[in-house]
Amino acid sequence: MVGIQERLPTSLKPRKYLSWPSGWALLVALTVSSPAHAAIKLHDLISDGAVLQQGTTVPIWGTANDGESVTVKFQNQSVATTAQAGRWLIKLQPLQPGGPFTLTVTGTNTVEVKELLVGEVWVGSGQSNMELPSRFFSKGDAVLAAWVAAAPYPQLRLFQAKTKWQPATPENLNGFSALLFAFGLRLQKVLGVPVGLIVGAVGGTPSGPWLSAAALHGDAACQELIQQYAATKYGPALQQYDRELADWKLAAATAQQQNKSPARQPPPLPKPGTTRDDPVGSFYEAFIYSLMPYAIRGVLWDQGEAGTGLAGVDQFTLMGALIRGWRKDWAQSEFPFIYIQKPSGGGCAWDYADPVTKNADPFVPQPPGVPAFGIPELETHLRIRQYPNVGMVGSSDLGNGLHPQNKSGYGQRAAAVALGMVYVQKIEYSGPIYASHKLEGSKVRIQFTHVGRGLAFRHGDKLQGFAVAGANKVFSWADAKIDGATVVLSCPQVPQPVAIRYAWVSLRPWANLFNQDGLPALPFNIDFATVNEGT
C-alpha cells in the first residue's frame, strides 16, 4: 500500500524483524533458558495477571532440568509430567470461569502464578488499524476516549507481544490497540466473564509475512498461483527490469562523469513465492508462533490495505493458507477467525445518530448510470468469509479512510459478530447476504440470509442500488421492491436478465438495503450462467 508508512507517526511505522529459523522460534516460544540445574520457568504468557481460556484443555508449559518431575496444580487439578530436553508441557482439563486464582508449579523449586482469571482469550493481529493505540484515536472518537477514562476494568487484561500481562488501566489502554480494546470491552460486559486480549500487529504490513513459510509451501492453491505467475508474468517482468537496470547503469555512469547524483536504481524484483521486504513468515514467527500453544477462543484480524506482498497471490487465497496454517500450528483446528471487511466505509448508515455508525458516508441519490466496478479488493474480501468458521465484520457504514477514527464502532461491530457467530447469542450480526435468485418471467426474485427482523430500505423514497444486465452484459438500474424476505427486480430495458448486481463499487452511499436491525446489505455480483454451473 503506497504511502501508508508516511502517514503514521514515526513511533508507529513498521518495524523490521529478522526471519528466525524455526528452531529459534521454538526456543522463544518455550522461553528457553535451560542450562544444567535450571529452575522451573514458565512462558511469559503464563504469568501474574493472565487470563486462561475457559471450557477447553489449557496447555501450561515451560523449562526445567532435563528429567525433572514437574507438577501443576490449579482449580482442584493436579497434573504431573517429566521435563525432556529441558522442556515440559501439561494440559489442564476445561476450566471454570472466574478468579482471581493461583496456579502452582512444583519441581526442584516452586513457582506461584497469582491473580489469574479464567474466561475468554482473543488474539488481535494485522496491520495499523489493529496496532494503533487508543491515544491515536481519542480526539476523533469520544466514545473510545470515555471508555479509556472510565478504566480500570478489573475483568479485562491486556498482553502485547514481547511484554507482560497488564491490567486495563487508562495508562495501559492508551498504549493498547484501540480496536481490540473496544472489541474486548463489549464482550466482557455482555458475557460477564473475564476477557484476555493479546495483540501482535505491525502497521503497513502485507499478509505474506504473517503466515509461515511451511503454510505457504504446503498450500496447493498458493503454489499453483505462484507457478502461474512465474510462467506468465515474472519472465517478461524480469526482462523489463534488466533493461531498466542497464539504462540506469548507463545514466549513473554519465551522471558520475558530470558530478551529478544518479537517478534511483530500480528495486530488484522479488522471486516468485517471495516478498520484496519482510520475508514470508517473519511476522508470524515474531508475533504469532511465540504465542502457541496458549489456549485461545479465536482471532480478530484487521489487514488488507497492504495486500499480500506476494506477486501473483491474491488476498483470498493467501488468507485461506494463513487461517489453515495458524489453526494447524495452534492445534486448535477450527478456532473462529473474524476479520474486518476491506475497503473500509463507502456506504450510508441506518442511523447517523448511533455512535457506532455516526461516521458513515452521507446518503446520496443514485447516480444516473451504473458505476463500473473498479475495486477488486471489495470482491476479494467478501470471498474470505467462505472459509469454515470465518466471520466478516461488515464495515461499509462504519466510516471511511485509511485509518477510520471510529474504533469504538468498529470494535462493537466486531464484538457483535463474535457474540452471534461464536457465542450463539440471539443477535443479528450481519446485514442481508445474497443467498439465491429465481427468474419470474422478466423479473428476478432474490432471497437473502441474515434478514434479521425483516428487510427494509432507509433514506430516500425507494430502494436503490440494484442493477440488471442482459446478454450484452450492459447493466441498467433496476426497479427494486421488497416483498417479504425477498427483493424483486424489474427493468423494462432488460426483458431477459442474465446478471444482477447490488452496490458493486467501493463508494456506494446511495445503496440503501438494510435489515431492520440496522445492518447494511452486502454487495454482490451474480452471473446466472456461472451460478448455474456451480462455480
Side-chain angles (χ1 to χ4, degrees):
M1 178 81 176
V2 177
I4 193 168
Q5 297 186 32
E6 287 70 16
R7 301 189 189 197
L8 293 177
T10 302
S11 62
L12 296 172
K13 289 183 179 180
R15 298 174 290 276
K16 300 296 181 185
Y17 294 88
L18 296 177
S19 180
W20 306 340
S22 59
W24 282 104
L26 179 60
L27 293 179
V28 171
L30 293 172
T31 320
V32 166
S33 177
S34 53
H37 308 297
I40 287 176
K41 188 175 181 181
L42 293 163
H43 189 281
D44 286 345
L45 275 165
I46 308 163
S47 56
D48 292 350
V51 179
L52 302 179
Q53 178 61 46
Q54 66 174 335
T56 188
T57 54
V58 175
I60 304 292
W61 73 100
T63 59
N65 291 319
D66 189 21
E68 182 175 355
S69 177
V70 178
T71 301
V72 177
K73 294 182 178 180
F74 188 72
Q75 278 197 0
N76 298 319
Q77 298 185 49
S78 180
V79 185
T81 190
T82 301
Q84 297 181 7
R87 302 165 186 158
W88 60 270
L89 180 148
I90 67 96
K91 290 186 178 180
L92 296 171
Q93 293 303 303
L95 305 175
Q96 296 298 314
F101 303 107
T102 298
L103 179 144
T104 304
V105 184
T106 305
T108 54
N109 64 307
T110 298
V111 177
E112 286 190 341
V113 185
K114 301 177 180 179
E115 295 296 316
L116 290 177
L117 301 177
V118 176
E120 293 297 297
V121 181
W122 283 83
V123 171
S125 190
Q127 57 183 112
S128 54
N129 277 303
M130 178 60 72
E131 181 193 30
L132 289 172
S134 296
R135 65 172 178 268
F136 189 84
F137 300 98
S138 294
K139 291 183 179 179
D141 190 338
V143 173
L144 178 70
W147 286 347
V148 171
Y153 300 101
Q155 297 291 292
L156 198 63
R157 302 282 174 83
L158 318 173
F159 187 94
Q160 301 193 66
K162 305 177 184 296
T163 62
K164 298 283 188 179
W165 284 97
Q166 298 176 324
T169 63
E171 180 182 8
N172 292 336
L173 288 170
N174 271 317
F176 190 79
S177 165
L179 172 61
L180 195 59
F181 161 54
F183 169 81
L185 182 63
R186 183 175 180 192
L187 286 187
Q188 197 284 312
K189 289 182 176 180
V190 174
L191 298 175
V193 299
V195 171
L197 302 173
I198 303 171
V199 65
V202 180
T205 51
S207 49
W210 287 102
L211 86 163
S212 69
L216 176 63
H217 296 153
D219 187 81
C222 284
Q223 291 305 309
E224 181 179 355
L225 290 176
I226 290 170
Q227 291 170 11
Q228 289 177 1
Y229 169 75
T232 62
K233 294 185 178 180
Y234 180 70
L238 186 60
Q239 292 176 0
Q240 176 65 25
Y241 169 76
D242 289 340
R243 289 192 292 268
E244 292 176 356
L245 183 62
D247 291 343
W248 175 84
K249 288 180 178 179
L250 181 61
T254 303
Q256 187 175 18
Q257 294 173 357
Q258 299 174 353
N259 294 321
K260 296 180 180 179
S261 298
R264 181 178 298 180
Q265 180 178 353
L269 290 176
K271 294 180 180 179
T274 67
T275 56
R276 186 184 297 277
D277 296 317
D278 300 294
V280 171
S282 53
F283 292 112
Y284 167 80
E285 294 194 18
F287 290 95
I288 303 302
Y289 188 73
S290 58
L291 304 176
M292 300 172 182
Y294 198 78
I296 64 172
R297 174 62 69 192
V299 169
L300 178 63
W301 176 265
D302 194 338
Q303 185 273 337
E305 299 94 336
T308 68
L310 281 169
V313 182
D314 62 282
Q315 188 79 351
F316 167 74
T317 305
L318 191 141
M319 287 303 297
L322 183 149
I323 293 166
R324 289 188 292 270
W326 285 24
R327 287 171 173 169
K328 178 182 177 182
D329 291 352
W330 228 302
Q332 292 186 230
S333 61
E334 288 296 329
F335 67 65
F337 192 100
I338 297 173
Y339 71 100
I340 309 295
Q341 179 187 15
K342 299 295 178 186
S344 301
C348 64
W350 177 267
D351 182 4
Y352 288 93
D354 186 339
V356 173
T357 55
K358 63 182 180 181
N359 291 350
D361 293 61
F363 173 78
V364 297
Q366 187 168 265
V370 179
F373 178 62
I375 308 293
E377 290 83 359
L378 174 66
E379 180 179 11
T380 296
H381 282 83
L382 287 169
R383 292 176 64 203
I384 294 171
R385 59 190 174 83
Q386 297 174 13
Y387 293 118
N389 210 21
V390 169
M392 187 187 79
V393 180
S395 66
S396 67
D397 60 338
L398 296 179
N400 216 328
L402 182 64
H403 295 122
Q405 290 295 300
N406 185 21
K407 284 295 178 283
S408 62
Y410 273 78
Q412 289 182 81
R413 179 68 60 77
V417 175
L419 290 169
M421 182 185 111
V422 180
Y423 299 105
V424 200
Q425 296 207 350
K426 292 183 178 180
I427 178 175
E428 183 54 80
Y429 60 89
S430 173
I433 299 175
Y434 166 89
S436 63
H437 69 272
K438 181 172 62 174
L439 282 171
E440 298 178 350
S442 62
K443 297 182 178 181
V444 184
R445 184 179 297 272
I446 306 171
Q447 290 80 34
F448 295 87
T449 59
H450 292 279
V451 298
R453 291 181 287 177
L455 298 178
F457 71 85
R458 194 72 161 178
H459 314 300
D461 57 3
K462 64 179 181 178
L463 179 58
Q464 299 184 166
F466 289 88
V468 297
N472 60 4
K473 296 300 176 71
V474 175
F475 280 89
S476 300
W477 289 125
D479 180 52
K481 303 290 186 183
I482 293 172
D483 184 11
T486 68
V487 169
V488 179
L489 307 182
S490 62
C491 179
Q493 296 90 346
V494 185
Q496 294 181 307
V498 302
I500 55 176
R501 284 180 176 176
Y502 173 72
W504 200 241
V505 65
S506 181
L507 295 177
R508 49 196 184 276
W510 31 263
N512 62 349
L513 178 64
F514 294 80
N515 54 33
Q516 294 188 37
D517 304 85
L519 299 171
L522 270 59
F524 62 80
N525 179 37
I526 304 298
D527 185 298
F528 296 174
T530 301
V531 171
N532 292 335
E533 293 169 2
T535 58

